Amino acid sequence: MNYIKLDKTRCKACYLCVDVCPKKLIIKGSQPNSLGHFPVEFKDPDNKCIGCAMCAMRCPDIAITEVVKN
Amino acid sequence: MIKTTEKSVFKLPKSLKAGMKFPFCAGCDHGVAIRLVAEVLDEMNLREKTIAVASIGCSVMLYDYLDTDCVEAPHGRALAAATGVKRTNKDKFVLTYQGDGDFASIGLAESLHAALRGEKVSAICINNTTYGMTGGQAGPTTIMGQITKTSPNGRNEEYYGYPIKIAEQVALCDGTAYSARCSLDSIANIKKTKEAIRKTFEVQLQGLGFGFVEILSTCPTNWHLTPQESHERVRNELFQVYPLGVYKEV
Amino acid sequence: MTKTLTTGNHAIAQAAINAGCDGYFGYPITPQSEIGEFMSKKMQELERAYVCAESEIAAINMVLGACSTGAKAMTSSSSCAVALMQESLSYIAADELPVVLVSVMRAGPGLGYIYPSQGDYNQATIGGGNGDYKIIVLAPSTVQECIDLTYKSFYLAQKYRNPTILLADGLLAQMMEPVEFNEYPYPEISIEDWALTGAKNRDSRAIYSLGPQEDRLVERVETLFNKYKQIEENEVEFEEYQTDNADLIVTCFGSIARNVKSAINQCREKGLKVGMLRPITLYPFPTKKYQELAKTTKKFLTIEMNMGQMVRDVRLAVNGQVPVEFFGKSVGQWLSVEDIAAEIERLNS
């Protein structure tokens, strides 16, 4: 199973990662963080993540702190 | 159950300070550029011998992010300070991280003369076509027609003259070993930018001369565009004025 | 030790090399260009850093960069070009870097002329940079002192991690005198705990002046001023000449002191009770010495090759206890022994 680690306290809700995920596994969240932004959420119930790390490469704030591939 | 081997394909670079957070606006490309610099420092094992030179503008607090030694230069003078560092410490790795206003407006003399002298340093210039930190005024790279706080009717020839093409100018200097223009608008271009940064570092280590990369970046706040629209602007408007590519490689 | 006949400019340059200067960065301007010329040859021979900078602004910032790594580095310049360096001097003071700047005064304002002048007392001691900061300023009056005070400039810059200016003028820079090049007499100061040497086996270090948080900026400036207090307590240097029982004390700095001394000798022969106090450190200023002498003398006469700059510091020090007169000329007008003696006699009559 591939997955990403998300630090929601770092997310500024630019949503650039939402667009680059080829499997559309990152969505705009509905719960605000301490910055007042609505950070993204990673939803992968069907284990579709391919561990490409494009979301982490795109994120300007290193809110995606780790990408793990098996 | 079969135990699989987990492998990290992305991690916080060691050359960034643990726990640091970028203070940039949402969607600003500065964070990506600094992370790429840190990744290349890690991969080339340069952190411990690096002395970075910070500049003035949104780029200023480099020392809060990079876990390397760092000195701040007055506005525009990063490459003069870098020259002083390198000439008295030839065994150290010296890099500057500057904006286009710092590098190509107030610091144009220092920047081009460092290139002309062939200083063995690496310079990274973030070009976002505006003065970001002061609130989005017209800068040396503001393109024709661009509306900013100080070009309310758009940049025109009569009042502002023309923008500077930095990578091309640096490439004209005999002391330059590498000069390229990259962009952070897409994953493919982020990867190319990382390779250009690596090349910029390599020419210093090989003693070939001045290494330079200009990185087209966004300023969503002052462009009054979303982060997504900002990258579209880079592709649709800036690529025509500032074509990507390697302008010099010795 | 054998004596060598040399100019002030060459004396300063050779002394800087003897002091272990690792890097010279400069841009030519009369009357100090010979320092850069001398350095271009010697530094390359010694394989030390030398750069023909593209401007004085670049030169001082190269020194900033070099000094941030703990290197001993310097630049030299003059008047209107030292003006260009003021922004960086403020950064350097805030960064606490051991920068040495040799400032060889020419006449001003503006481009002025290359005649000797002392018109940059204010520029050196008060400065044109922004914010609260102080620069150590040493003023030689002989070519021998150009050597001794160049040594001291490097020492004090390192000891206090503070920019230090050697304030000479075109007369001293261009004249030849027999001098002794003694060895650099001061201990080397460790740079281990602050210099940028690469973050190996220690935490990374940063040298910067931006203070985003108010408290931190206040604390930083207070730390600086505690250091300045130490400098003021420990480093005051001056020359006293025939001040015992003097009714009139002539006070001056730099090259003009040579003529003042001769004038005092002439006046003493005529029975006038006159002496001289010459600050060698313009910052820290010998305020306490003035206050002490103000108790016994009747009057001070400040003589400068300008329209009256140091006289303000003398008046602040004397604080109204006795009158402080001024005699001076600007734009490179040399004050002869006769001019000075006549002024002393006029004030005594």
Side-chain angles (χ1 to χ4, degrees):
Chain A
M1 188 182 83
N2 310 312
Y3 61 96
I4 66 171
K5 288 184 185 169
L6 192 59
D7 180 351
K8 291 189 182 180
T9 68
R10 304 176 74 99
C11 178
K12 293 178 188 151
C14 71
Y15 304 133
L16 287 169
C17 57
V18 174
D19 296 342
V20 297
C21 178
K23 300 292 179 188
K24 303 292 168 206
L25 304 175
I26 302 174
I27 56 166
K28 295 179 186 180
S30 53
Q31 292 297 314
N33 63 13
S34 60
L35 299 171
H37 299 305
F38 290 87
V40 294
E41 289 171 14
F42 178 63
K43 299 267 188 204
D44 189 15
D46 304 323
N47 294 339
K48 282 185 179 169
C49 177
I50 56 171
C52 68
M54 289 204 288
C55 54
M57 263 184 274
R58 180 68 276 174
C59 177
D61 288 291
I62 320 182
I64 295 152
T65 55
E66 194 173 352
V67 179
V68 179
K69 209 169 174 177
N70 279 309
Chain B
M1 186 180 151
I2 301 165
K3 195 173 164 73
T4 53
T5 323
E6 284 201 341
K7 191 179 140 203
S8 263
V9 290
F10 179 91
K11 258 188 166 174
L12 188 77
K14 286 197 173 61
S15 294
L16 286 180
K17 283 185 174 155
M20 74 84 209
K21 287 180 179 175
F22 293 123
F24 304 116
C25 305
C28 170
D29 280 341
H30 260 298
V32 178
I34 293 167
R35 195 193 72 231
L36 293 179
V37 168
E39 285 176 4
V40 181
L41 288 175
D42 276 6
E43 288 162 22
M44 295 176 73
N45 199 22
L46 290 170
R47 191 190 75 84
E48 292 183 345
K49 63 183 280 193
T50 294
I51 299 175
V53 182
S55 57
I56 309 295
C58 286
S59 52
V60 65
M61 287 178 282
L62 191 67
Y63 40 77
D64 280 349
Y65 328 131
L66 282 190
D67 196 19
T68 67
D69 279 6
C70 187
V71 60
E72 160 209 79
H75 197 17
R77 320 301 171 208
L79 279 159
T83 298
V85 171
K86 187 70 179 190
R87 291 289 187 113
T88 49
N89 297 271
K90 289 181 180 165
D91 58 330
K92 293 293 184 293
F93 179 78
V94 181
L95 77 94
T96 70
Y97 184 85
Q98 307 169 254
D100 55 278
D102 194 272
F103 187 99
S105 189
I106 189 167
L108 187 62
E110 284 76 9
S111 303
L112 287 190
H113 279 281
L116 288 162
R117 286 192 304 267
E119 295 296 340
K120 277 77 177 172
V121 299
S122 304
I124 292 153
C125 174
I126 301 298
N127 177 359
N128 59 8
T129 74
T130 188
Y131 288 107
M133 190 175 249
T134 47
Q137 296 82 11
T141 51
T142 297
I143 63 171
M144 300 311 284
Q146 184 177 337
I147 291 171
T148 70
K149 291 259 177 69
T150 51
S151 56
N153 305 316
R155 182 172 190 155
N156 57 52
E157 179 199 327
E158 187 187 356
Y159 279 85
Y160 308 90
Y162 299 94
I164 182 168
K165 300 182 178 182
I166 308 173
E168 289 89 328
Q169 294 286 345
V170 171
L172 287 173
C173 300
D174 287 349
T176 299
Y178 182 80
S179 179
R181 182 181 295 115
C182 307
S183 162
L184 299 172
D185 68 293
S186 66
I187 297 294
N189 279 333
I190 288 173
K191 287 181 176 174
K192 281 185 190 168
T193 300
K194 187 171 172 181
E195 288 317 300
I197 292 171
R198 189 191 310 280
K199 190 75 199 166
T200 308
F201 290 5
E202 280 171 0
V203 294
Q204 175 180 170
L205 294 174
Q206 292 161 5
L208 295 175
F210 185 70
F212 176 72
V213 58
E214 173 188 348
I215 303 174
L216 295 183
S217 305
T218 56
C219 185
T221 301
N222 290 309
W223 290 1
H224 306 290
L225 298 173
T226 65
Q228 291 76 7
E229 289 166 348
S230 296
H231 286 135
E232 278 163 31
R233 174 180 184 249
V234 171
R235 285 187 288 272
N236 297 337
E237 297 181 29
L238 300 194
F239 282 3
Q240 290 164 34
V241 187
Y242 301 120
L244 304 186
V246 176
Y247 288 89
K248 187 170 183 189
E249 187 170 5
V250 296
Chain C
M1 190 179 272
T2 51
K3 292 209 167 188
T4 316
L5 189 65
T6 192
T7 64
N9 277 338
H10 285 171
I12 289 165
Q14 183 62 53
I17 283 169
N18 295 355
C21 179
D22 298 301
Y24 175 90
F25 307 88
Y27 187 90
I29 177 172
T30 311
Q32 63 75 54
S33 300
E34 292 85 355
I35 298 177
E37 292 169 7
F38 188 94
M39 290 304 239
S40 69
K41 187 164 187 287
K42 291 284 177 176
M43 295 297 266
Q44 289 189 55
E45 272 173 24
L46 295 164
E47 296 185 353
R48 298 186 195 172
Y50 168 83
V51 179
C52 271
E54 61 272 26
S55 70
E56 289 86 355
I57 297 174
I60 191 73
N61 285 295
M62 288 173 189
V63 179
L64 180 155
C67 285
S68 74
T69 70
K72 286 185 184 175
M74 68 175 291
T75 184
S76 60
S77 194
S78 178
S79 301
C80 42
V82 173
L84 284 172
M85 301 182 178
Q86 296 298 324
E87 180 202 27
S88 284
L89 288 173
S90 170
Y91 276 72
I92 287 162
D95 291 347
E96 297 195 78
L97 296 177
V99 165
V100 173
L101 163 61
V102 175
S103 171
V104 180
M105 293 177 281
R106 51 190 272 160
L111 190 54
Y113 204 66
I114 58 173
Y115 293 137
S117 161
Q118 297 185 318
D120 300 329
Y121 176 92
N122 285 348
Q123 186 192 53
T125 60
I126 301 172
N130 54 307
D132 283 324
Y133 69 96
K134 305 239 181 227
I135 293 178
I136 299 169
V137 184
L138 307 178
S141 83
T142 64
V143 177
Q144 183 65 50
E145 275 191 355
C146 284
I147 297 169
D148 299 340
L149 295 181
T150 298
Y151 288 159
K152 194 165 189 182
S153 297
F154 277 97
Y155 173 64
L156 292 180
Q158 297 276 329
K159 182 178 176 186
Y160 292 100
R161 284 175 54 198
N162 204 70
T164 301
I165 293 178
L166 182 80
L167 188 67
D169 63 55
L171 179 88
L172 271 180
Q174 298 293 333
M175 69 186 270
M176 292 184 102
E177 276 188 312
V179 295
E180 281 182 13
F181 279 103
N182 51 328
E183 282 180 18
Y184 181 67
Y186 300 104
E188 293 298 333
I189 310 283
S190 172
I191 51 137
E192 291 295 311
D193 60 346
W194 65 270
L196 305 184
T197 52
K200 192 174 184 179
N201 303 323
R202 61 160 172 79
D203 290 342
S204 58
R205 290 173 180 162
I207 293 178
Y208 60 96
S209 62
L210 173 69
Q213 285 154 12
E214 200 179 295
D215 289 351
R216 216 171 83 197
L217 193 56
V218 168
E219 193 187 302
R220 182 206 294 266
V221 175
E222 280 174 357
T223 307
L224 280 180
F225 273 72
N226 288 336
K227 179 176 81 175
Y228 299 151
K229 210 173 161 189
Q230 293 290 311
I231 295 171
E232 286 162 20
E233 277 168 16
N234 299 328
E235 305 300 343
V236 170
E237 191 180 340
F238 52 81
E239 182 195 6
E240 236 179 317
Y241 185 69
Q242 307 222 24
T243 52
D244 288 346
N245 306 319
D247 290 335
L248 175 71
I249 293 176
V250 182
T251 183
C252 57
F253 73 97
S255 61
I256 197 65
R258 308 162 71 97
N259 283 8
V260 168
K261 265 190 190 172
S262 300
I264 284 171
N265 291 344
Q266 278 186 14
C267 291
R268 281 270 171 185
E269 279 171 24
K270 290 181 184 172
L272 298 178
K273 286 193 212 165
V274 56
M276 180 188 83
L277 176 63
R278 172 173 71 95
I280 292 172
T281 52
L282 303 184
Y283 177 79
F285 196 67
T287 303
K288 282 180 190 160
K289 189 69 201 174
Y290 281 98
Q291 287 167 349
E292 192 187 306
L293 289 172
K295 287 177 189 149
T296 56
T297 193
K298 290 176 183 160
K299 196 178 270 185
F300 285 95
L301 167 62
T302 307
I303 292 185
E304 301 175 68
M305 285 150 63
N306 59 40
M307 296 304 283
Q309 298 192 12
M310 186 178 82
V311 67
R312 281 169 52 120
D313 281 339
V314 177
R315 284 180 178 142
L316 283 170
V318 172
N319 199 18
Q321 292 180 80
V322 291
V324 177
E325 306 288 344
F326 173 75
F327 180 57
K329 282 179 189 171
S330 190
V331 198
Q333 286 291 312
W334 180 243
L335 300 169
S336 69
V337 176
E338 290 70 28
D339 291 339
I340 295 165
E343 183 64 13
I344 293 170
E345 285 181 48
R346 191 182 72 79
L347 289 177
N348 261 285
S349 60

